[in-house]
């Protein structure tokens, strides 16, 4: 019996490792291609050398020449800063607003609580593109076009994030809150001094989800931020790829730069991310 369990675990680890390697192939190919010229990229396309760096004698100008040229051709640093301000702004304000909403739905008994929860969940099925026109009209009338406010404010509240916070907090022990109330702590004090520090996994989970979603946003920044100084990285990449002549090594370098922030966020928060996903479905 023990041998069967060990065999199944080994098989599971082998399968998951193979899947991980397969999923990493496009990322490795992109990074290796960013170090090569166009001729080398197309030459290695049909061989395993596509996943290997070029030899020193195969490149001119050093391994990072494509990165230097990409930053010189377009204002990639500005696009990256715009995306960071956009996504980090949504994350900071979103964590505050959505965590408070989730806490209220999990703890407070107010009229039509379940109805409002159902309404919030129902908004998940509405395609975001279907509300972009009225949302743009509102942002335009407020004078928020080509501003960080117009990019950030419409997406601070997030139904999925509220649901995750609510599910996680349903499993949070009430005894700690009751003890804090006895000690004279206010409701806001309980939230910020007890709830927030002890619910890091769900905060990390929501932060990762929001970062990935909005770092990859294309349509809304394209509509609201049409000035070059306000372009986000995804819009900048599209502009770069449409700018002749197309140098695929430089394109791969720009794509690699755009991918690095997501990898950094996930690597540093992955432990909390797994814990958050494991707990959010524990209660209904």
């Amino acid at each position: 019996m023990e041998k069967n369990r060990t065999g199944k675990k080994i098989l599971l680890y082998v399968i998951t490792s193979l899947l991980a390697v397969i999923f990493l192939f496009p990322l490795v190919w992109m990074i290796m291609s960013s170090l090569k010229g166009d001729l080398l990229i197309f030459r290695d396309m049909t061989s395993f050398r596509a996943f290997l760096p070029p030899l020193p004698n195969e490149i001119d100008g050093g391994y990072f020449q494509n990165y230097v040229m990409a930053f010189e051709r377009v204002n990639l640093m500005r696009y990256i800063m715009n995306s960071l301000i956009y996504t980090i702004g949504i994350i900071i304000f979103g964590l505050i607003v959505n965590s408070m909403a989730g806490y209220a739905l999990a703890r407070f008994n107010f009229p039509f609580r379940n109805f409002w929860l159902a309404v919030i969940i129902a908004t998940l099925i509405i395609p975001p593109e279907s509300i972009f026109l009225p949302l743009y009209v509102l942002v335009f009338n407020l004078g928020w076009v080509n501003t960080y406010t117009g990019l950030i404010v419409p997406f601070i509240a997030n139904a999925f994030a509220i649901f995750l916070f609510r599910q996680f907090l349903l499993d949070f022990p009430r005894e700690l809150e009751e003890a804090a109330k006895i000690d004279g702590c206010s409701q806001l004090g309980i939230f910020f001094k007890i709830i927030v520090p002890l619910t890091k996994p769900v905060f990390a989970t929501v932060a990762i989800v929001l970062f990935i979603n909005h770092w990859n946003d294309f349509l809304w920044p394209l509509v609201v931020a049409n000035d070059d100084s306000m372009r986000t990285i995804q819009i900048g990449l599209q502009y770069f790829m449409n700018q002749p002549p197309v140098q695929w090594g430089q394109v791969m370098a720009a794509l690699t730069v755009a991918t690095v922030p997501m990898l950094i966020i996930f690597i540093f928060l992955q432990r909390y991310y797994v814990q958050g996903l494991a707990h959010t479905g524990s209660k209904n």
Side-chain angles (χ1 to χ4, degrees):
M1 189 70 177
E2 190 65 30
K3 289 183 179 180
N4 290 336
R5 288 182 179 177
T6 304
K8 289 180 180 179
K9 284 185 178 180
I10 293 174
L11 181 61
L12 179 62
Y13 289 146
V14 170
I15 293 174
T16 53
S17 298
L18 287 174
L19 288 174
V21 171
I22 292 171
F23 285 124
L24 283 174
F25 273 170
L27 180 63
V28 175
W29 176 76
M30 178 183 70
I31 295 173
M32 293 300 103
S33 296
S34 72
L35 306 176
K36 303 175 182 179
D38 287 8
L39 292 177
L40 286 179
I41 293 174
F42 291 110
R43 186 201 69 181
D44 298 340
M45 189 77 72
T46 57
S47 68
F48 191 76
R49 292 192 62 182
F51 303 101
L52 298 176
L55 298 175
N57 61 352
E58 293 179 325
I59 54 174
D60 296 323
Y63 281 105
F64 300 104
Q65 182 66 18
N66 287 330
Y67 291 88
V68 175
M69 295 300 297
F71 276 92
E72 288 180 353
R73 287 185 63 184
V74 293
N75 197 359
L76 276 181
M77 186 56 69
R78 179 67 183 182
Y79 301 156
I80 292 171
M81 289 303 300
N82 287 339
S83 284
L84 286 174
I85 294 171
Y86 171 46
T87 52
I88 291 175
I90 289 175
I91 289 172
I92 292 174
F93 293 109
L95 288 178
I96 296 172
V97 171
N98 297 316
S99 62
M100 286 185 167
Y103 180 64
L105 289 168
R107 284 292 189 265
F108 301 155
N109 290 317
F110 53 87
F112 307 108
R113 182 181 68 170
N114 292 333
F115 168 77
W116 290 118
L117 175 62
V119 170
I120 291 171
I121 295 174
T123 61
L124 291 171
I125 67 175
I126 300 175
E129 294 79 8
S130 65
I131 63 171
F132 275 5
L133 181 57
L135 195 58
Y136 175 78
V137 173
L138 177 61
V139 168
F140 179 82
N141 290 333
L142 290 171
W144 289 354
V145 175
N146 285 318
T147 66
Y148 294 119
T149 306
L151 284 169
I152 294 170
V153 171
F155 297 99
I156 290 176
N158 184 285
F160 184 64
I162 293 172
F163 177 73
L164 284 180
F165 277 114
R166 186 253 182 189
Q167 291 298 103
F168 192 94
L169 291 170
L170 283 176
D171 204 29
F172 191 83
R174 293 176 180 267
E175 291 80 7
L176 295 174
E177 299 170 65
E178 293 171 357
K181 286 181 180 178
I182 293 173
D183 290 338
C185 192
S186 65
Q187 198 66 58
L188 278 178
I190 292 172
F191 180 78
F192 285 108
K193 294 179 181 179
I194 296 176
I195 300 296
V196 173
L198 296 178
T199 55
K200 291 179 182 177
V202 70
F203 273 87
T205 302
V206 172
I208 290 175
V209 171
L210 292 178
F211 189 92
I212 292 174
N213 287 346
H214 294 289
W215 183 263
N216 291 323
D217 269 351
F218 183 83
L219 187 55
W220 180 248
L222 178 65
V223 171
V224 175
N226 46 47
D227 189 86
D228 183 67
S229 64
M230 289 298 299
R231 282 182 179 144
T232 59
I233 186 62
Q234 303 303 331
I235 309 301
L237 288 174
Q238 185 65 33
Y239 171 74
F240 183 40
M241 292 177 67
N242 292 332
Q243 189 181 64
V246 178
Q247 301 289 332
W248 291 107
Q250 296 175 22
V251 170
M252 294 300 171
L255 290 172
T256 301
V257 170
T259 305
V260 167
M262 287 191 293
L263 293 177
I264 293 174
I265 289 290
F266 189 78
I267 288 171
F268 280 100
L269 298 180
Q270 62 175 329
R271 179 166 61 93
Y272 297 115
Y273 179 70
V274 174
Q275 293 177 9
L277 290 179
H279 283 84
T280 48
S282 59
K283 280 193 179 183
N284 294 318

